[in-house]
Amino acid sequence: MAHFDEKAKPFSNQWMNDRLAVDTVKKVLSTEYWIPKNINFLWAMGMILAATFGLLIVSGIFLVMYYQPDTKTAFDSVNYTIMTEVGYGWLWRHIHGVAASVVFLIIYIHMFTGIYYGSYKKGREMIWLTGMLLFVLFSAEAFSGYMLPWGQMSYWAGMVITNLFGGFTKDFLGGIGNIQALVEWIRGDYVPGQAFLSRFFMLHVFLLPLVIMGVIVLHFAALRIPHVNNQDGEEVDFEKSARLYKEGNKKESEVIPFNPVFLSKDIFVMGIYFVLFFYLVFYHFEFAMDPVNFDPADGLKTPAHIYPEWYFLWSYEILRPFPFNVGLVAFGFAQVAFFLLPFLDRSPNVAPANRRGLFGIWFWLMLIDMIVLTIMGKLPPEGVWNVIGFVAALTFIILFILLPFITKTEKKA
Amino acid sequence: MSSRRDFMGMALGGFAALGGIAALYAAKKTWDPLPSVKAGGFTTIDLSVAKENELVIEKWRGKPIFILKKSASMPKDNREIVIGGNRYLVAIGLCTHLGCIPAYLPNDLMFKCACHGGEFDSNGKQTFGPPPRPLDIPPFKINGTSLVLGETGPEYEKMLANKLTQSV
């Protein structure tokens, strides 16, 4: 049995240490969790995401008190009750809507920072994979949440996205890839209706947030052993640097403790972020609120143009320009392609993309292609937009196929 | 000794797996469409009120049903329903690409889907864009000048057998 200090006063430091090892926990999780010095503001995106997720949970708690997951009352419970009756209901809704949109911008910055600096390689594969899993979970969370106001865009996005689970057409390979029953199973009805709304409500407010929290813990845990990457992809001797830091040779040490040193820089970046964030919440929330979704859901009237929120446009545009079955394969490819990055990149170098020759070109082409796909996804499928969208979708696929070849030719730095 | 532990481990694992599978089965059935949803799947529509080249939209299983009475000049087709000498297109009004509702353009005698640019002619056959097949025909049974949607009549079975539409 462990030793307990009989004389320790209840809840004193000694008393808590005997029972919960609070000092050890604090060391392990914060004051002796080492972060390299050689980083920049892009390394703050992780904590910004955590803080934004926190805001989504807090605002969501208030929204769920008045929201009604019923096809007859859902629309009014959001647009009338929460927006006009509930004290500060508009604030929670606008925080929730803006955060849901902005969180994807930060996720993409976080992702492309990782790609640029090669932070998915050499021991950091699990960080990348859990991060991509979080991206998929956040996508599902965003989609299920988008159903809840039960407006025209909710309904028709629900119709189009669940139809994707029907698989290939019946004339393809004798119909083995056609699983129309799955679509009706997901919806619990022939079309999105009450069963659909209440199950997506459950997913949005309970199951998916729960899973997301679990995977966030896993994502942090995956960071523990390989540590955070740095601006030069250099292999830091964390033990030596930690020793130097603790001995007081902070200048010679290449690392700083997570808390309070790194966190104070994080919080500075977060401060700037939240100024912009709340500017959007109070003055430009409308960018996160599609006007079409202010019409109640109507199963007999399709809106003139159906498009997803901006953060799904790139993958939507990979689906759109091809014939149905080909499009479905391309879309499936787009969903898994980024997961494969640590294995498609055959170069042994962990370095910023601009020092990696052809990979640098690959990186910027990929980034530009994603932006082009995003813009084309928003434009109506007509004329020259169709052609540009088709070329951009093809470019996306070709870039991923080329990646192993161009990284293989890279010389070891 | 280890074999006794192995046995207990396997017995525990076996029963736990059995319970897990049973729970998964129950979860799957819980997500199934309810019997009341499935039972509401029959609709009777009167075709005699339709006017030539004017699209009527009815509702069946929550889906829009297109009814288009064809004028004499419109081309004949093996997918049309003929009642009392009048020819009708009756189809589920959801684009066979991803399920948006195409709009009917009476002057051009065609349907156009706004979502991904798919086009269908007045027989519901795809003429442009990503739709993989013509608009689906719902199961129907002719009853005088009415159609019962959801029931299967000989005319519908013939269309299925000739692969003119697929079961929905």
Side-chain angles (χ1 to χ4, degrees), chain A residues 155-156 159-161 163-164 169-171 178 180 184-191 195 199-200 202-203 298-306 316 319-320 322-325 380-382 386, chain B residues 27-34 37-41 57-59 61-65 94-102 112-117 128-133 166-168:
Chain A
Y155 184 92
W156 288 99
M159 178 76 100
V160 169
I161 299 295
N163 264 340
L164 286 177
T169 53
K170 281 193 177 165
D171 52 13
N178 185 280
Q180 188 57 35
E184 276 154 26
W185 184 74
I186 291 171
R187 292 175 184 162
D189 200 337
Y190 302 107
V191 288
R199 66 185 53 175
F200 274 78
M202 178 281 290
L203 289 174
D298 182 352
L300 294 185
K301 206 177 112 210
T302 321
H305 295 298
I306 296 185
Y316 178 71
L319 169 81
R320 203 164 67 157
F322 298 106
F324 187 84
N325 290 325
E382 293 161 359
N386 261 343
Chain B
K28 190 265 166 197
K29 295 299 266 186
T30 301
W31 275 64
D32 274 349
L34 301 177
V37 167
K38 297 210 125 171
I57 301 179
E58 295 279 351
K59 200 170 174 180
R61 292 187 181 172
K63 294 172 185 171
I65 299 296
L94 297 175
C95 178
T96 49
H97 180 221
L98 284 176
C100 299
I101 302 179
K112 190 167 170 59
C113 182
C115 290
H116 306 102
F128 176 79
R133 60 176 192 278
Q166 61 176 41
S167 54
V168 286

Side-chain angles (χ1 to χ4, degrees), chain B residues 86-167:
Chain B
N86 294 315
R87 301 181 293 130
Y88 300 91
L89 162 75
V90 176
I92 296 176
L94 297 175
C95 178
T96 49
H97 180 221
L98 284 176
C100 299
I101 302 179
Y104 185 61
L105 311 175
N107 297 330
D108 304 325
L109 302 179
M110 69 168 201
F111 296 92
K112 190 167 170 59
C113 182
C115 290
H116 306 102
E119 288 174 12
F120 302 86
D121 63 16
S122 60
N123 292 317
K125 286 188 171 153
Q126 77 277 26
T127 51
F128 176 79
R133 60 176 192 278
L135 294 173
D136 292 325
I137 296 173
F140 65 90
K141 194 176 161 189
I142 299 173
N143 190 0
T145 60
S146 300
L147 277 187
V148 182
L149 299 182
E151 273 189 56
T152 309
E155 292 85 356
Y156 176 70
E157 273 169 11
K158 209 174 137 197
M159 283 187 192
L160 270 189
N162 293 335
K163 296 218 159 79
L164 297 176
T165 185
Q166 61 176 41
S167 54

Side-chain angles (χ1 to χ4, degrees), chain A residues 265-380:
Chain A
K265 298 185 179 208
D266 251 3
I267 288 170
F268 173 74
V269 182
M270 238 186 263
I272 295 172
Y273 164 76
F274 276 123
V275 169
L276 294 171
F277 179 84
F278 281 104
Y279 168 74
L280 292 175
V281 168
F282 290 114
Y283 300 102
H284 276 295
F285 53 84
E286 78 285 349
F287 87 94
M289 311 257 159
D290 196 293
V292 181
N293 220 25
F294 286 91
D295 292 326
D298 182 352
L300 294 185
K301 206 177 112 210
T302 321
H305 295 298
I306 296 185
Y307 41 81
E309 287 292 276
W310 71 268
Y311 40 85
F312 292 144
L313 287 170
W314 67 271
S315 61
Y316 178 71
E317 187 57 25
I318 289 173
L319 169 81
R320 203 164 67 157
F322 298 106
F324 187 84
N325 290 325
V326 183
L328 204 60
V329 173
F331 183 70
F333 175 79
Q335 304 312 307
V336 298
F338 281 105
F339 274 92
L340 303 176
L341 206 56
F343 313 102
L344 293 179
D345 186 338
R346 313 295 297 169
S347 155
N349 302 325
V350 178
N354 66 350
R355 287 184 220 155
R356 288 181 55 192
L358 281 175
F359 181 78
I361 299 167
W362 186 91
F363 174 86
W364 291 109
L365 274 181
M366 178 54 82
L367 190 61
I368 293 165
D369 194 48
M370 297 270 287
I371 294 169
V372 171
L373 283 168
T374 301
I375 296 168
M376 290 308 127
K378 184 85 185 193
L379 295 168

Side-chain angles (χ1 to χ4, degrees), chain A residues 99-228:
Chain A
S101 188
V102 169
V103 84
F104 277 93
L105 177 68
I106 308 295
I107 287 176
Y108 286 130
I109 297 175
H110 195 52
M111 237 174 102
F112 273 86
T113 304
I115 299 175
Y116 184 81
Y117 290 102
S119 309
Y120 49 85
K121 312 207 282 184
K122 279 193 166 176
R124 297 198 176 91
E125 291 87 350
M126 286 307 293
I127 309 174
W128 179 260
L129 292 175
T130 50
M132 280 309 299
L133 190 58
L134 279 171
F135 175 73
V136 171
L137 287 168
F138 265 82
S139 301
E141 180 68 2
F143 173 72
S144 56
Y146 200 66
M147 298 301 104
L148 302 188
W150 209 240
Q152 272 292 65
M153 273 296 184
S154 304
Y155 184 92
W156 288 99
M159 178 76 100
V160 169
I161 299 295
T162 47
N163 264 340
L164 286 177
F165 289 89
F168 300 107
T169 53
K170 281 193 177 165
D171 52 13
F172 181 73
L173 288 178
I176 50 162
N178 185 280
I179 30 177
Q180 188 57 35
L182 180 63
V183 177
E184 276 154 26
W185 184 74
I186 291 171
R187 292 175 184 162
D189 200 337
Y190 302 107
V191 288
Q194 183 56 53
F196 175 87
L197 180 61
S198 23
R199 66 185 53 175
F200 274 78
F201 173 68
M202 178 281 290
L203 289 174
H204 184 73
V205 305
F206 178 69
L207 188 56
L208 288 170
L210 193 69
V211 176
I212 285 174
M213 285 186 246
V215 180
I216 288 176
V217 171
L218 193 60
H219 192 53
F220 286 174
L223 201 57
R224 193 73 208 190
I225 296 170
H227 281 94
V228 177

Side-chain angles (χ1 to χ4, degrees), chain A residues 82-99:
Chain A
I82 291 174
M83 288 306 287
T84 66
E85 279 202 293
V86 177
Y88 288 91
W90 57 269
L91 177 67
W92 307 123
R93 191 193 183 192
H94 289 168
I95 288 178
H96 208 69
V98 169

